[in-house]
Amino acid sequence: MLDMGFIDDIQTIISYLPKKHQTLMFSATMPHSIRQLAKKVLHDPVEISLAMSTPADGVDQKAYLVFDEQKIKVIKHLLAERNIMTAYLFSPLQRVKSQILSEC
């Protein structure tokens, strides 16, 4: 979210908080920008890191590196070729997910 321009909004909200408050920060990843924000906002923070999880039994997890213009074609090919009836697709753009759903 920070890379989408929300950092200014978050800092504005933080400026309205009382000096003494409790802040909980959750993040699936901790890139540099989030670590910097945490240092600025949190006092004596406790960090809990979880080990990398593995897929559940029966889940076949794959990642494919493709160019943007190839993504929909590759997804359609994989779904058709392997007769996949259920899949999870992670995409940061709703437009891409909608396009894939309409074409598959």
Side-chain angles (χ1 to χ4, degrees), residues 31-50:
H32 182 71
S33 58
I34 293 178
R35 287 192 185 278
Q36 291 301 102
L37 178 64
K39 282 182 184 179
K40 181 178 176 182
V41 176
L42 305 177
H43 303 283
D44 296 324
V46 174
E47 183 176 328
I48 299 172
S49 297
L50 303 177

Side-chain angles (χ1 to χ4, degrees), residues 3-18:
D3 61 345
M4 295 172 61
F6 288 103
I7 187 68
D8 293 335
D9 295 330
I10 291 170
Q11 290 176 334
T12 299
I13 292 168
I14 291 169
S15 73
Y16 288 104
L17 295 175

Side-chain angles (χ1 to χ4, degrees), residues 39-95:
K39 282 182 184 179
K40 181 178 176 182
V41 176
L42 305 177
H43 303 283
D44 296 324
V46 174
E47 183 176 328
I48 299 172
S49 297
L50 303 177
M52 183 79 117
S53 64
T54 57
D57 289 338
V59 173
D60 184 19
Q61 182 174 307
K62 303 245 187 263
Y64 295 88
L65 227 64
V66 296
F67 293 107
D68 284 345
E69 60 273 5
Q70 298 172 313
K71 288 180 182 179
I72 293 174
K73 190 174 184 177
V74 169
I75 290 168
K76 287 171 63 174
H77 172 76
L78 291 171
L79 292 174
E81 180 185 273
R82 301 193 178 157
N83 197 25
I84 297 171
M85 301 308 293
T86 304
Y88 288 101
L89 174 64
F90 297 95
S91 172
L93 302 174
Q94 182 61 40
R95 173 185 52 79

